[in-house]
Amino acid sequence: GFAAVEALRDDGWREHSATRIARLFARGDWRDAADDVGIALSLADNVLNGTQTLPLSMLGNPRQPYTWPDSTNNQLGFANATWTHAFAEDALLALNGYYRRLRTTGANSNVNGAYDPTVSPAEAFNLQTAATTRSWGGAFQLSAKRAWGHVMHQFVVGAAFDGGSTSFHQTEQDATFVNDREAVGSGPFATTTDVTSKVRYAGAYLADTITLSKEWSMMLAGRYNAARITTNDLTGDTPAINGSNRFRRFSPAVGGNWQPVPALNAFVSISQGIRVPTPIELTCADPMAPCTLPNIFVADPPLQPVIATTYEAGVRGRVGTTGHYSAAIYRTELADDIQFVSAGNGAVNAGYFQNVGKTRRQGLELTGGAAAGDFSWVARYSFLDATYQSGFEEHSPNNSSADAAGQIAVQPGNRLPGLPRNTFRLRADWSHGPFAIGATVLVAGSQYARGDENNQDRSGPVPGYTIATLDGTWQIDRQWQLFMRVDNLFDRTYQNFGILGANYFRGPGNTFAAAQAGPEQFRSPGAPLGAWIGIRYRLDRGTGKR
C-alpha cells in the first residue's frame, strides 16, 4: 500500500494569481506468483487564479494583471484498477478499467470587443462556466513469445474502449472596469450556453516484434480506431449544434533495429496515427463567430480528423560504464491539421479552430551524459522545424500585415507559432555522502506569437531566453531531509509565449479607453527569481519507526 497527500497555498508572484492545491493519491497492490492486482484512487480540489498575457506596452510591470478576475476550480475523482496474469514466463494478460469524474467551474473577465457607447455600452463581460465530465473505459492486452523455426516473435494484441459525457453550462454578465482593471459586474447573469456532449472511442491493435538474428529485429503493428462524438443543445436556441460525427481509420507502423555491439543500436520506423476533433473544436470552427475558449459552443462547420505520418531514424548506445548517447532525426507530416486561430478584437483568447491543410514537424534530437565519481551530467538538444505546408487565409485583424478585412495569407514554409526552433537543456549533479547539489540550465529559442501565422507582424517573434535553476538536499538521517530550490537563479526577465490582440487599456494609468484601442503583441511574462527551503519526513515501516 502507498498513500501521498499534498496541500499548497501560494499567493503567486503576479497580482491576483493565488493558487490552492489539495491532492490525495492512494494505491493498493496484491501479488502472487502469477497475478498482480492494483487499485489506485486520486482525489483533487484545486483553485487556480491567472492574470493573462500582457501587451508589450504594459510589460514594464509584469506583476500587474491585464484584466481580472480569472479563476478556475477543478475537482477530480479518479479510480483505476489493473490486473495482470502470467500464464507462463512468455505469456501475459493485462486488464485495465477506470472511472473519472472532473468538475470544472470558472469565472473570467473579458473586454467587450464590440464596445460602443450607444449600441453596446458594456465595457466588459464576465463569464461563469461549469462543466462536469464523466469518463470510463477499459482495455485488455495479451502478449506472448513464440518461436517459428529460427525466428522469435513477440506478439501483442489488445483492444480498448473509452466513453464519456460532458455537461457544459455558461452564463454571461455585463461588467465595467475600475482603475485596476477589475471587471465589476453591473447586471444579472444570463445563460448563453447549455450543452451536453458524448464521446465513444474504440480501438483494436496488433503488434509483432520479430527477432531475425542476434543483431537484427523488426516490428510490424497496426491499430484500427473508431470514434463517435455527439453534441446536443439544451437551450433550444441553437439547434444546429445537435449532431453526431463519426471517424474511422486503420493506422499501420513498421520499424527495424540493428545492434551489432552493445555500444551501438540503430533504429528506423514509419508510423501513422489519427486524432479526431474534440467537441470543443467541432463547435468552435466558424471564423465569423469566434469563441472565447474554452468557454463556448456554437453551431459550426465540421472538421476533418488529423492524420499524422511519422518517419524516424537514429542511433543510441552506451560508452564505457557510465556514458550514454542518442541521436535521432524525424519528420511528422500532418494532413488536415487543426489549428486554433486567434481572431478576437477584444478578448485576447478569442478565436476559432480550422483545418489548415498540411503541416510538418521535423528535426533533430541529441542526448548525451556520463558520470565520474561524485559528478554526473546529461545534456539534451532539440532542433524543431515546424512549418505550414499548405497555403491558406485566416482572419487575424491584430496582425500588422492584415488587409482591410483583417485577413492574412499564410504561405508554405511559414513557421508555426508557439514552437521555438532550438531548445537546449543541461543538467549537472554533484553528490557526496548525505549532500547533493544540482543545477539545470535551459536555453529556448525565439517563437512566433499566435495570430502571426504568416510570420510578418511588425512586433516580430517572442525573443528566446536562458534561465538557470539550482537545487540541493541534505539527508540528515533515514527519515529527515532538508531541501532547497532556487528558480531563475540570475533573475532574468523573459517571456515564454506570445499572442496578438487589441489593447483597450491605453488611457491614463492603463485604464479602459476604447477610442485608443489598437493592436499589440501580448506576452506571458516568466516568473522572476524564487527560492524555497523545506524539510521532509519519511514514514518508513522498515525501521519500525512512525
Side-chain angles (χ1 to χ4, degrees), residues 430-509:
W430 176 85
S431 60
H432 185 79
F435 301 99
I437 298 176
T440 302
V441 176
L442 172 64
V443 182
S446 62
Q447 58 178 283
Y448 283 98
R450 200 167 71 188
D452 190 16
E453 284 74 16
N454 64 346
N455 307 163
Q456 294 185 20
D457 182 72
R458 62 171 167 245
S459 297
V462 179
Y465 58 90
T466 300
I467 54 174
T469 299
L470 185 68
D471 57 82
T473 59
W474 173 25
Q475 196 69 43
I476 302 171
D477 59 23
R478 186 179 179 89
Q479 280 75 43
W480 292 96
Q481 182 190 78
L482 189 69
F483 68 91
M484 68 88 178
R485 178 182 177 91
V486 181
D487 285 345
N488 196 356
L489 180 63
F490 301 106
D491 199 21
R492 294 292 182 89
T493 298
Y494 69 101
Q495 299 87 41
N496 54 23
F497 175 75
I499 184 172
L500 301 184
N503 182 9
Y504 277 70
F505 298 98
R506 291 178 166 178

Side-chain angles (χ1 to χ4, degrees), residues 168 170 172 192-196 231-235 237-243 245 278-303 340 351-353:
F168 181 90
Q170 176 178 281
E172 182 179 306
T192 57
T193 305
D194 196 1
V195 172
T196 62
T231 55
N232 292 285
D233 171 50
L234 302 182
T235 65
D237 297 329
T238 53
I241 284 180
N242 301 333
N245 294 269
T278 66
I280 283 282
E281 291 172 336
L282 287 168
T283 57
C284 182
D286 187 350
M288 296 299 103
C291 312
T292 49
L293 291 173
N295 304 316
I296 201 165
F297 285 73
V298 294
D300 290 319
L303 295 173
F340 180 73
Y352 59 94
F353 292 99

